Amino acid sequence: MLDILKGPVLSIQEFFQLTGRTLKNLPKRPHYPRDILNQMDILGVGSLPIVLLVGFFSGVVMALQMSRALRTYGAVSQTGPIVAITLVREMGPVLTSIVVAGRNAAGIASELGSMKVTEQIDAMRALGTDPVQKLVKPRLIATAIMLPCLTAIADFVGLLGGYLIAYGVLKLTTSEYWNGAYRAIEYNDIAQGLIKPFIYAMVISMVGCFCGLRTTGGTQGVGLATTQAVVVSSVWIFVLNAFITQIFVTL
Amino acid sequence: MRFERVTVDFGGQPALDDVSFDIRNGESRVVLGESGSGKTVILKTAIGLLHPSKGRVFLFNEDITGRREQEMFSIRARVGMLFQESALFDSLTIEENVSYPLVNQKSIQLDEEQTHQRVEEALTFVELGHTLEKFPSELSGGMRRRVGIARANVTEPALVLYDSPTAGLDPITANNIMALLVKERDLRNATTVIVTQRFQDGQIMAKYRFDRDSGELRAASSDGGSVSGLKFMVMREGKLVFEGTREELGLSTDPYISKFVLRH
């Protein structure tokens, strides 16, 4: 029994060690600003098209589904507030993070995994660079900055999608939809809508880096690390979402 | 570089088992052995990329056993290493790859112009001065290996470690690579450790010297003798089973060692 648990416990310990080292190194030099900007471009700007698509259609579907339920109570005019609250609190952060996890945790794990199996990580250490500083830190910072921004954009285009349905299908007026949406959102909603992606960004980047850096066994190992990074980061996003939501609900 | 009864474990399996040797300044060492015999582990342990579970490792007369990663960088700055398959950074150009140690090692303070000049010199030395702007994927295996040699030597380190410099290359390219290593060794008098499966690589290191006047390799001695200060080591399943000169290696009656030498 102990032998079965040994592997996972050791992995969790190593994950927290890597996270601890990265956080400890955040204020330390060198900072590699070019790598951070490069990662912000790859992880953030590169994810923009898919985040826009997912955000927009989430808003569309949300408005359609909600209108059906609301019609029963004669409250179709409440579509704006409901779409806004659902998107800002839950759908925006979680869906954006899942999309980014699928794209970027996989990307990070496969890139670092390939570097590991071709000894590029060892070469980096031998040539005077700490891989945590050079590879992990820029990815953590870039994801932590870009994911909340992407979430805010996804929320907005989601609201826009909801508006198209509200205006075109449900025949609500523009001010009815947007005023309702604006009034429904409180600071608490915005806070949790931005804190969530910030925390998920840490999960995505650290899990991606961790899985990549512990890759063994050649190309097959890279594939395994990539799969693990996506699965583990997605699961953690859902688990943490439940905890964070619980905290905000009781506030 | 000194190992004192060093053991390195991978998940309970010893990759190095009670290995001791001493390489003095200016000497050369050729480490032979089958794949999986622990040759690469010696090199990685020597510069602290792997940590021994037992024993002590000394580099430049400093005990590096158990040192933290941050403390190792100043010592590693004095060592050049060619990795198996070169380990060039895919995302960087050849110039950026070779300048990497110059730019990233704190002990080296060069401006952009000086760095560029050093990189050009190092690449010209390996006859690849025209590849500065190319990416590693655009070069052949032999060319990548030569870039790796340039990167290992660009800081003019006191100790250079070569991990399987000729692995996977055709015999002509392999001999050219070995000629470069002899040239590098004799021009800079750097302590050189070569890990290889090919006995011929060791023969070239032992039998030839680089002649500055003619710019070519010449026999080290007219009677076929070896370069002074060069020894061979043979590894088998993590153990050091032989250490001695080329002549002693040839006279060994140990079935594994003589089989290994004759087979190549």
Side-chain angles (χ1 to χ4, degrees):
Chain A
M1 181 67 183
L2 276 175
D3 281 344
I4 300 169
L5 288 173
K6 216 161 130 185
V9 169
L10 193 66
S11 296
I12 292 169
Q13 181 189 323
E14 286 172 352
F15 173 77
F16 281 110
Q17 276 176 343
L18 178 70
T19 309
R21 258 186 79 193
T22 313
L23 294 175
K24 202 173 132 194
N25 281 353
L26 277 179
K28 288 185 188 167
R29 286 168 184 269
H31 294 303
Y32 302 109
R34 270 180 63 188
D35 293 78
I36 296 172
L37 286 174
N38 191 28
Q39 288 303 322
M40 283 170 76
D41 182 37
I42 296 169
L43 306 176
V45 181
S47 302
L48 196 55
I50 186 151
V51 165
L52 287 175
L53 272 175
V54 170
F56 180 80
F57 285 106
S58 304
V60 168
V61 169
M62 193 89 62
L64 286 170
Q65 290 287 8
M66 287 302 157
S67 67
R68 200 174 151 200
L70 290 169
R71 190 169 286 126
T72 318
Y73 306 102
V76 178
S77 60
Q78 293 302 305
T79 305
I82 286 185
V83 170
I85 289 171
T86 323
L87 269 177
V88 173
R89 280 187 197 167
E90 293 297 335
M91 297 295 277
V94 173
L95 279 180
T96 310
S97 302
I98 290 295
V99 167
V100 171
R103 186 181 178 275
N104 294 343
I108 292 172
S110 61
E111 186 184 1
L112 268 53
S114 304
M115 289 181 77
K116 177 80 192 309
V117 297
T118 54
E119 292 187 310
Q120 289 179 52
I121 304 282
D122 279 341
M124 202 168 258
R125 292 170 65 200
L127 297 170
T129 317
D130 181 356
V132 172
Q133 288 281 76
K134 176 80 176 163
L135 300 173
V136 182
K137 197 169 96 174
R139 283 162 176 78
L140 174 67
I141 294 173
T143 318
I145 294 172
M146 295 312 282
L147 193 53
C149 297
L150 287 170
T151 303
I153 294 168
D155 289 347
F156 177 72
V157 292
L159 279 169
L160 207 63
Y163 166 70
L164 289 181
I165 296 302
Y167 184 78
V169 180
L170 309 176
K171 305 301 176 196
L172 295 182
T173 64
T174 303
S175 63
E176 223 174 350
Y177 178 84
W178 288 109
N179 280 338
Y182 178 74
R183 266 191 257 116
I185 299 169
E186 293 173 6
Y187 285 116
N188 176 305
D189 302 322
I190 295 172
Q192 68 170 301
L194 293 177
I195 287 171
K196 279 179 180 179
F198 180 75
I199 292 169
Y200 304 155
M202 292 175 68
V203 171
I204 293 166
S205 53
M206 290 312 304
V207 169
C209 290
F210 176 69
C211 291
L213 289 176
R214 70 202 293 261
T215 304
T216 50
T219 46
Q220 199 183 10
V222 176
L224 194 66
T226 308
T227 313
Q228 269 180 348
V230 176
V231 172
V232 172
S233 55
S234 304
V235 168
W236 273 110
I237 287 169
F238 283 113
V239 172
L240 286 172
N241 190 51
F243 282 105
I244 300 168
T245 304
Q246 169 64 26
I247 292 167
F248 274 96
V249 163
T250 52
L251 278 179
Chain B
M1 174 172 149
R2 191 166 85 244
F3 276 42
E4 283 181 3
R5 309 202 65 177
V6 170
T7 297
V8 178
D9 283 322
F10 285 149
Q13 285 288 103
L16 279 190
D17 191 359
D18 201 16
V19 171
S20 300
F21 61 85
D22 186 7
I23 304 173
R24 290 172 189 280
N25 195 17
E27 284 185 356
S28 298
R29 197 62 58 103
V30 176
V31 186
L32 297 166
E34 291 178 343
S35 67
S37 59
K39 305 185 299 293
T40 300
V41 179
I42 286 183
L43 300 188
K44 290 191 175 179
T45 308
I47 56 169
L49 296 178
L50 294 174
H51 299 288
S53 48
K54 282 184 205 160
R56 310 205 76 77
V57 180
F58 294 83
L59 203 57
F60 304 113
N61 292 323
E62 288 183 53
D63 187 353
I64 63 158
T65 322
R67 280 209 186 177
R68 288 169 53 219
E69 184 79 3
Q70 295 295 332
E71 297 167 344
M72 282 304 299
F73 288 134
S74 59
I75 294 182
R76 285 184 196 147
R78 297 161 67 189
V79 185
M81 181 156 174
L82 170 72
F83 285 84
Q84 224 167 2
E85 308 294 331
S86 311
L88 300 179
F89 303 121
D90 303 325
S91 55
L92 303 183
T93 63
I94 298 304
E95 178 172 11
E96 289 166 335
N97 261 289
V98 179
S99 66
Y100 197 92
L102 296 174
V103 173
N104 286 287
Q105 281 169 4
K106 285 180 189 163
S107 55
I108 300 170
Q109 300 290 333
L110 298 176
D111 62 32
E112 216 170 293
E113 183 56 36
Q114 290 169 317
T115 304
H116 180 73
Q117 198 182 331
R118 285 275 286 273
V119 170
E120 264 197 321
E121 281 169 15
L123 280 169
T124 307
F125 186 85
V126 297
E127 296 159 15
L128 286 173
H130 57 286
T131 60
L132 287 166
E133 299 303 318
K134 289 187 188 294
F135 282 90
S137 57
E138 297 174 71
L139 303 184
S140 68
M143 288 164 98
R144 283 204 293 273
R145 215 60 64 87
R146 275 147 65 192
V147 174
I149 293 168
R151 188 174 69 177
N153 286 285
V154 71
T155 57
E156 300 187 346
L159 169 66
V160 197
L161 312 174
Y162 297 105
D163 189 1
S164 307
T166 60
L169 301 178
D170 63 85
I172 297 169
T173 312
N175 287 345
N176 289 339
I177 294 282
M178 288 313 299
L180 272 176
L181 301 195
V182 172
K183 193 174 160 187
E184 193 74 65
R185 176 195 67 186
D186 294 339
L187 281 177
R188 292 204 302 106
N189 288 325
T191 309
T192 305
V193 182
I194 295 181
V195 150
T196 181
Q197 285 183 322
R198 287 181 7 127
F199 182 58
Q200 297 96 309
D201 295 347
Q203 291 275 52
I204 294 172
M205 288 299 285
K207 286 168 82 174
Y208 294 97
R209 273 213 169 278
F210 180 72
D211 182 31
R212 287 169 191 256
D213 299 329
S214 63
E216 289 176 0
L217 296 196
R218 298 257 185 244
S221 137
S222 53
D223 60 359
S226 298
V227 170
S228 61
L230 184 133
K231 278 188 182 172
F232 285 77
M233 284 172 21
V234 179
M235 297 295 298
R236 182 185 189 185
E237 292 170 4
K239 288 186 190 298
L240 177 60
V241 292
F242 173 85
E243 188 178 13
T245 63
R246 182 169 68 101
E247 290 72 22
E248 288 167 343
L249 181 70
L251 292 171
S252 173
T253 53
D254 182 284
Y256 174 77
I257 298 168
S258 43
K259 187 177 79 173
F260 188 88
V261 173
L262 289 173
R263 198 198 300 165
H264 293 84

